[in-house]
Amino acid sequence: MNGYLNKIIPFSSVDGPGNRTAIFLQGCNFDCIYCHNPETINHCINCSFCVKACPVDALTINRENRQIVFNSNCCIECDACTKTCHRNSTPKYKVATADEIIKEIENYRPFIQGITVSGGECTLQAEFLIELFTKAKEIGLTCFIDTNGSTDLSQQEKLMNLCDGVMLDVKVWDKERHKKYIKADNEMVLKNLDYLVDCGKLYEVRTVVVPELFNNEETVTNVAHKIKNSTARYKLIKYRHLGVRENNLNLTTPTDHDMNHLERLAHEVGCFNTIIV
Amino acid sequence: MTGVEQIVKDKTLTFEQKVVALARYAENSVEVLNISEDTQALREAGIICDLFEGNVPYRPRYILPNYEKFMKEGCKFLQLDPPTNIWEATNYLLIFYKHVPSITTMPVYIGNIDYLLEPFIEDEEEAKLAIRLFFTQLDRTITDSFCHANLGPKATRAAKIILEVERELENAIPNLTLKYNEETPDDLAIEAIKTALATAKPSFANHNMFTEDLGEYGIASCYNGLHAGGGAHTLVRMRLSKLAETATSIDDFFNHKLPHAMTCMADYINERIRYIVEESTFFETNFLVTEGFISKDRFTSMFGLVGLAECVNTLLKAEKLEDKFGHSQIADDLGVRIMETMEAFIHQFESKHCKVTNERLLLHAQVGIGDDINTSPGARIPIGEEPELWKHLKQTARFHKYFPSGTGDIFPFELNAVNNPEFILNIIQGAFKEGMRYFSLYSSDADVIRITGYLVKRSEIAKLDQGIATLQDTVVLGQGQVRNGKVYERKVR
């Protein structure tokens, strides 16, 4: 079956253990106010606004089916297309089969210990992940998932059997703020947190620290408490402006002092496997 | 002003550097070698270059003493008994190093230092202090970063302590290599990567590949694989980039220019060897030979080359990146053809004093010198034209097998790689699986960086830029490479 792909990064040092090929899928059911890759949120509807914006004619319209055609050889990665897009999407997404992706990964295989699928929200394409992971396992690669936790992983037995570890985003503990700034409920996220701790597949929890919007102390303390007896690492990520949409609030990057304070809170409840990035 | 006075009055040279420069000046005031007119013409054209070895070869360029023998038996000439504890071990080694000649006048190989010190480690705290003093003295007194120590491949307490100490000291000297294979445990390799991110060393050597090619070996100077208990009489290099400019076509290059230049250079290497072995008295009188720390029969010599990339690009008249070496299959295949041709020549050319390599020379990917312009080290892809890392590694790996006496590539990583050193280990493991021989890394914002094969502090180059003398003679070489070789512009991974 086909997967909707945003991009593949051959070598990644930040998506799980060792060197991994990171596969970003297109489409997300959250809409975080500080999203760092908003062009991954929606699927392209071929509205073609971006075609005019491209300064090097890497985008054209197929007259027959009105689909946008992307020529990666011309692309200079200026991001004019995604900046122009009104729908938080990209004309550069690809539709690819698991076999096609595996064929590309073969190039990187000597140098990686596995793959990590991210997004967007990769678990929205769970059937595709099952096929991709099955084939990746056949060539000896480990398979990790980076998820926003919105789908019930406890009901995805087949996928979880193939998956070696999960990186789970816990953006904010407070339900109302989650709804307000993430545009979705966090009940399933917290259920997944418990499930992943119990089944031993939680590799890492990630919290982006945004000083103005969230009670980060509450989030960090609660998450740290949940994972303190597991092998999971808690990654505290500084909010940065890079890639975020221009129409949001003037959010500030937390200071080292803020981050160290949050890390100390995690340590205080007994979670010592922490990292600040 | 005479040349002697110029040296004496140079404000950027230390006293020690002046003494060495004056000795070189004296050596170069006479001509004792038989050099053919054709060879001389190629030397003057900058195609054959002996790297300023001097006109009267009186010691081998690279010497790799058998330090294990010294630790077991001591040394009569130096009146030293075998060491009995960590203080004697480190002290006696420092004494010994003082008396190991080389082209730089300072030792270019100081042993598999972890294995040498391991038997003397009783109390780890005490050992750490001794090792810290030992490495500090090396940095301050062997003032030349071609001085090279080896570690591994097996784990020892000494290796762990050395890596910790080097990470703390952040010195440029000595250069360090971890011999790496499946016997090297991950935790030692990870410690090595952490140290490399802090201070640009150790590099990783593909131990199985070197062992297969050389047997008992050590890594000396930049990344030179040579026989332990022996070394290399000389290293002369061919500047392929310049040679290509003299060719009228690819056929002319392969049929005339390259064979002629190779013959001239190999004859010149043999002449240099002849003088060292047959006339200089080194192999009859030096205590390293008479006491068996080195043997004449464990020496070979190095047939170096630089600028393969530019050579290929010139021959193909490649202007666009996609047509150049490192990016085009045609260009890379032409590079392989040149290497196959050079290897075939080396295999049939006799060099009678190179007993350990069956009377043959060894190919070497020379790292370049500060004066080189538009000439990349060995078979490297030029700085500024590096492809994606996985492509770069696969391309590079095609060329490493031709260079048993050393080649390598250098990759700066972003500092955040320190959060996931296993990331770099996986890349090194993959690179070795693909056939890479030698892999160096450093962090993009560290003070100590790898220039081409040796290490220099950015802060020391900045001092020299202001006309202030610097302790180590290699800083001036680094300064040249930064100016001409775009070293600061390497692609960060």
Side-chain angles (χ1 to χ4, degrees), chain A residues 114-232:
Chain A
I115 60 172
T116 296
V117 282
S118 183
E121 173 47 37
C122 63
T123 62
L124 299 176
Q125 300 182 52
E127 288 304 312
F128 175 71
L129 291 192
I130 289 168
E131 195 180 331
L132 180 65
F133 281 9
T134 304
K135 290 176 191 292
K137 292 260 162 185
E138 283 168 10
I139 58 169
L141 296 172
T142 58
C143 300
F144 276 61
I145 286 173
D146 174 12
T147 177
N148 64 16
S150 61
T151 59
D152 191 348
L153 296 176
S154 68
Q155 299 303 305
Q156 295 279 0
E157 197 184 341
K158 208 167 172 187
L159 178 61
M160 291 312 293
N161 283 340
L162 288 162
C163 168
D164 297 285
V166 174
M167 276 87 74
L168 176 72
D169 283 12
V170 178
K171 296 165 194 296
V172 51
W173 197 263
D174 179 77
K175 279 186 173 42
E176 293 312 312
R177 287 191 179 250
H178 201 280
K179 275 185 194 158
K180 185 172 177 187
Y181 294 113
I182 311 298
K183 305 282 170 57
D185 199 284
N186 71 350
E187 198 175 330
M188 187 55 72
V189 179
L190 301 184
K191 185 183 171 197
N192 276 322
L193 178 61
D194 287 333
Y195 163 71
L196 289 168
V197 168
D198 289 346
C199 74
K201 294 230 167 165
L202 185 64
Y203 175 77
E204 182 176 272
V205 177
R206 296 165 166 189
T207 295
V208 177
V209 175
V210 192
E212 287 94 340
L213 302 184
F214 305 139
N215 182 341
N216 297 297
E217 295 183 344
E218 180 190 33
T219 305
V220 169
T221 308
N222 281 298
V223 169
H225 186 70
K226 288 272 188 194
I227 68 172
K228 66 182 178 188
N229 295 322
S230 75
T231 55

Side-chain angles (χ1 to χ4, degrees), chain A:
Chain A
M1 68 181 295
N2 286 329
Y4 291 85
L5 199 63
N6 180 273
K7 67 176 167 192
I8 294 178
I9 295 181
F11 289 6
S12 170
S13 67
V14 295
D15 291 291
N19 186 19
R20 316 188 69 77
T21 294
I23 301 157
F24 293 83
L25 301 190
Q26 185 71 22
C28 187
N29 52 348
F30 281 5
D31 184 4
C32 308
I33 190 164
Y34 58 80
C35 181
H36 290 86
N37 45 10
E39 72 282 359
T40 64
I41 295 176
N42 291 314
H43 289 276
C44 174
I45 57 165
N46 292 292
C47 73
S48 78
F49 275 114
C50 54
V51 175
K52 284 182 205 134
C54 178
V56 291
D57 295 332
L59 300 171
T60 50
I61 300 170
N62 179 332
R63 297 276 167 210
E64 283 172 21
N65 61 11
R66 305 295 302 162
Q67 301 263 316
I68 296 172
V69 181
F70 169 56
N71 181 354
S72 60
N73 293 332
C74 309
C75 178
I76 54 168
E77 298 189 21
C78 66
D79 294 334
C81 52
T82 50
K83 280 178 195 155
T84 310
C85 182
H86 301 300
R87 273 185 52 81
N88 295 321
S89 187
T90 172
K92 301 200 291 193
Y93 80 98
K94 279 186 217 158
V95 180
T97 64
D99 280 330
E100 285 166 344
I101 294 175
I102 293 289
K103 196 176 165 203
E104 180 173 341
I105 292 169
E106 286 283 358
N107 289 317
Y108 323 135
R109 194 175 148 209
F111 311 101
I112 58 172
Q113 55 176 273
I115 60 172
T116 296
V117 282
S118 183
E121 173 47 37
C122 63
T123 62
L124 299 176
Q125 300 182 52
E127 288 304 312
F128 175 71
L129 291 192
I130 289 168
E131 195 180 331
L132 180 65
F133 281 9
T134 304
K135 290 176 191 292
K137 292 260 162 185
E138 283 168 10
I139 58 169
L141 296 172
T142 58
C143 300
F144 276 61
I145 286 173
D146 174 12
T147 177
N148 64 16
S150 61
T151 59
D152 191 348
L153 296 176
S154 68
Q155 299 303 305
Q156 295 279 0
E157 197 184 341
K158 208 167 172 187
L159 178 61
M160 291 312 293
N161 283 340
L162 288 162
C163 168
D164 297 285
V166 174
M167 276 87 74
L168 176 72
D169 283 12
V170 178
K171 296 165 194 296
V172 51
W173 197 263
D174 179 77
K175 279 186 173 42
E176 293 312 312
R177 287 191 179 250
H178 201 280
K179 275 185 194 158
K180 185 172 177 187
Y181 294 113
I182 311 298
K183 305 282 170 57
D185 199 284
N186 71 350
E187 198 175 330
M188 187 55 72
V189 179
L190 301 184
K191 185 183 171 197
N192 276 322
L193 178 61
D194 287 333
Y195 163 71
L196 289 168
V197 168
D198 289 346
C199 74
K201 294 230 167 165
L202 185 64
Y203 175 77
E204 182 176 272
V205 177
R206 296 165 166 189
T207 295
V208 177
V209 175
V210 192
E212 287 94 340
L213 302 184
F214 305 139
N215 182 341
N216 297 297
E217 295 183 344
E218 180 190 33
T219 305
V220 169
T221 308
N222 281 298
V223 169
H225 186 70
K226 288 272 188 194
I227 68 172
K228 66 182 178 188
N229 295 322
S230 75
T231 55
R233 176 167 80 167
Y234 196 3
K235 184 186 267 185
L236 302 171
I237 304 171
K238 280 183 182 178
Y239 163 80
R240 293 177 178 87
H241 301 295
L242 190 71
V244 300
R245 286 165 285 194
E246 286 168 9
N247 60 353
N248 63 21
L249 310 163
N250 267 337
L251 300 172
T252 54
T253 300
T255 62
D256 287 344
H257 181 265
D258 296 338
M259 298 302 286
N260 292 335
H261 168 65
L262 292 170
E263 187 175 45
R264 265 197 307 278
L265 289 181
H267 293 175
E268 275 170 20
V269 297
C271 171
F272 296 100
N273 190 2
T274 55
I275 182 171
I276 296 172
V277 295

